[in-house]
Amino acid sequence: MRGIPNPERQRLGALLEQETQETVMAKIPQFAEAETENWAPAPAAVPEQLGILVFNMERGVHLEELGDFLQDCPDIRPLDVVLANELDDGCVRSGGRNTARELAERFGWNYAYGLEFIELVNGADPKGFHGNAVFSRWPIRRAWTVRLPEQYNWYFDRQRRIGGRCAVLAELDIGGRPLGVASIHLENRTHGEGRRLQMETVLQAAERLLPGIPVVLGGDLNTNTFDGRDKDVIQEIAGSPELQRRCLEDVARYEAALPAAEDMGYCVVPREPAVTRRKPLPDGSSLGLRLDWLLMRGVVPGESRVLSTRTADCGFARPDSALAQFQEEELSDHNAVWAVCGRP
C-alpha cells in the first residue's frame, strides 16, 4: 500500500480541526483499499475441518516472536485462516516493517490488509499505517475494506490519528467452494450500543458482499461490557470481583453486538468464558476481559480454545527461536482464540 509523505500526512491531519474524519478519509484512497496478495498455491486436498485463529497482535511490535508462536504452538493446529488485528505498516514502534506482508511471506500465506488508522504522533514514521488483515493458505478470490460508523474521533486522542475502525472481508476458495471471512475491529472507546451499530454494518456488508455462502467473522470486538471512555467505571469494575465476573460470564447482556450476530444466524465461539485480553490498570495489575470472538454461519463449529500469549506459557518454543529468548512478559496484551469448523 502506497505511503504518504509525513508533511502531507500532517496537513491532512490538521484538516480534522475543522472537518470530519469521513470527509478527510475520502481524500485518502488508501482507506478504501484492501491490499491483497495471492502468491500461495491452493493446497492439493481439502481437509474435513478448517482451523481458524483470531489474534490481536498488538501492532506486530514483537514480530519474530509472534511468528514463532504461530509456527510452534501445537494447540493452533490445523491453521488455515488467521483473522488478525492491529498490524503496523511503516511505524517506528514496530521497526518500520510491513508486519502483515512479512508474516505472509514467512508462512507462504495469501493475505488481504485494510488500513484502519494513519498515525500522526511520530513524524519519523515511514508510513504510519495501522490496520487489520486476513491471512489464508487458500486463494483469496476477492477482498474489501469496510468502514464502520464512527463512535470516537481518534484525532482528539493522545494517539492522534486519521481514520476509524474497519473490517477486512474476503471470499476464499476452499477447493472450489467459497468461504467468506472477515477480520473485525470494533471500537473500545464507546458503549455496547456503539459496538452494536458497528457490528450491524459488518453483518450487512457480509449479506451484500458474501451472499448465500458460509461465513466466518472474527476479531477483537472490544466487548468490554462498559464504555471504554469512562475511567471511573473501569476503576469500579477493577475493584469488584462481582462486576469483573460480568466481563467474562455475562458479556452478551451488555454487548448487543453478539446477540445481533446470533439473530442473523451466527454461532458465537467460544462458548466457555475465558480471558482474551489483559487490560493494564494503574496499580500494575490487569483486568481480565473477553474481547476476541469467532462468529460462524453455514459451517459446523467444532473444538475451540483460548491460547495464552504470556511468555511464561510458551514452553513449546524451539530452543533456538526468538520466542525462547524473549524476555518481556507477553507477546501481546490479547490471547489468541482458535477454533475448527467443518469445510464449506
Side-chain angles (χ1 to χ4, degrees):
M1 190 175 289
R2 181 177 56 85
I4 302 169
N6 182 59
E8 179 64 5
R9 297 199 301 264
Q10 299 299 330
R11 185 192 71 80
L12 290 163
L15 295 177
L16 291 166
E17 297 288 347
Q18 303 295 331
E19 300 184 27
T20 66
Q21 286 278 7
E22 183 178 9
T23 300
V24 174
M25 290 166 67
K27 305 175 191 294
I28 304 171
Q30 289 88 334
F31 278 115
E33 294 178 19
E35 178 181 85
T36 305
E37 291 287 357
N38 256 315
W39 45 36
V46 180
E48 290 298 318
Q49 291 187 315
L50 303 177
I52 303 179
L53 185 75
V54 164
F55 197 178
N56 181 319
M57 298 185 180
E58 198 178 2
R59 305 171 175 177
V61 171
H62 306 302
L63 193 63
E64 298 302 330
E65 294 83 1
L66 287 166
D68 290 343
F69 177 91
L70 294 170
Q71 179 176 328
D72 296 332
C73 180
D75 292 325
I76 57 172
R77 299 290 180 270
L79 187 57
D80 290 271
V81 177
V82 179
L83 307 176
N85 301 119
E86 295 197 14
L87 286 169
D88 283 352
D89 177 7
C91 294
V92 169
R93 65 196 180 193
S94 49
R97 305 166 78 172
N98 184 335
T99 59
R101 187 178 186 90
E102 288 195 31
L103 278 177
E105 289 175 340
R106 174 170 175 170
F107 292 99
W109 290 334
N110 305 308
Y111 81 98
Y113 178 83
L115 177 62
E116 187 165 64
F117 295 112
I118 299 175
E119 309 284 353
L120 297 173
V121 170
N122 191 343
D125 284 339
K127 294 170 77 172
F129 288 1
H130 178 77
N132 306 308
V134 170
F135 299 100
S136 171
R137 72 187 191 100
W138 302 91
I140 298 173
R141 291 178 174 175
R142 300 179 292 167
W144 308 264
T145 296
V146 174
R147 313 308 318 177
L148 306 185
E150 181 181 305
Q151 302 299 321
Y152 180 78
N153 190 335
W154 281 87
Y155 178 75
F156 298 103
D157 186 87
R158 61 180 174 80
Q159 297 186 59
R160 209 159 56 88
R161 298 157 147 177
I162 305 171
R165 302 300 185 181
C166 72
V168 180
L169 277 66
E171 181 183 330
L172 309 182
D173 184 336
I174 311 294
R177 296 185 179 183
L179 175 67
V181 298
S183 173
I184 308 167
H185 201 190
L186 302 186
E187 185 57 70
N188 63 317
R189 284 169 166 76
T190 189
H191 38 56
E193 176 60 14
R195 284 182 282 273
R196 183 195 66 79
L197 291 171
Q198 291 185 328
M199 177 58 76
E200 291 282 3
T201 298
V202 176
L203 296 171
Q204 292 165 13
E207 294 297 297
R208 183 177 72 256
L209 301 172
L210 304 166
I213 65 173
V215 176
V216 178
L217 312 175
D220 176 3
L221 306 187
N222 272 312
T223 45
N224 297 314
T225 75
F226 52 81
D227 189 328
R229 298 165 293 190
D230 192 332
K231 305 303 182 186
D232 292 337
V233 168
I234 295 170
Q235 287 301 318
E236 181 184 3
I237 292 174
S240 168
E242 181 178 352
L243 291 177
Q244 288 174 35
R245 280 195 293 274
R246 93 181 194 193
C247 297
L248 298 179
E249 300 174 7
D250 203 14
V251 177
R253 179 180 172 187
Y254 299 89
E255 295 287 348
L258 299 175
E262 290 181 313
D263 289 347
M264 294 291 289
Y266 289 88
C267 179
V268 176
V269 177
R271 305 300 297 186
E272 295 301 316
V275 171
T276 72
R277 201 243 164 161
R278 297 171 289 275
K279 180 177 178 60
L281 296 173
D283 64 1
S285 64
S286 64
L287 176 62
L289 301 172
R290 191 178 177 192
L291 307 186
D292 305 85
W293 304 85
L294 283 159
L295 309 169
M296 301 184 180
R297 187 176 74 177
V299 291
V300 179
E303 181 183 7
S304 66
R305 58 178 72 104
V306 174
L307 293 312
S308 172
T309 58
R310 289 185 181 275
T311 308
D313 297 325
C314 295
F316 51 79
R318 287 168 290 115
D320 60 344
S321 67
L323 180 55
Q325 310 304 318
F326 192 56
Q327 298 298 310
E328 298 193 30
E329 185 177 344
E330 57 189 16
L331 297 175
S332 169
D333 56 356
H334 286 249
N335 291 329
V337 176
W338 173 90
V340 294
C341 66
R343 65 184 181 184

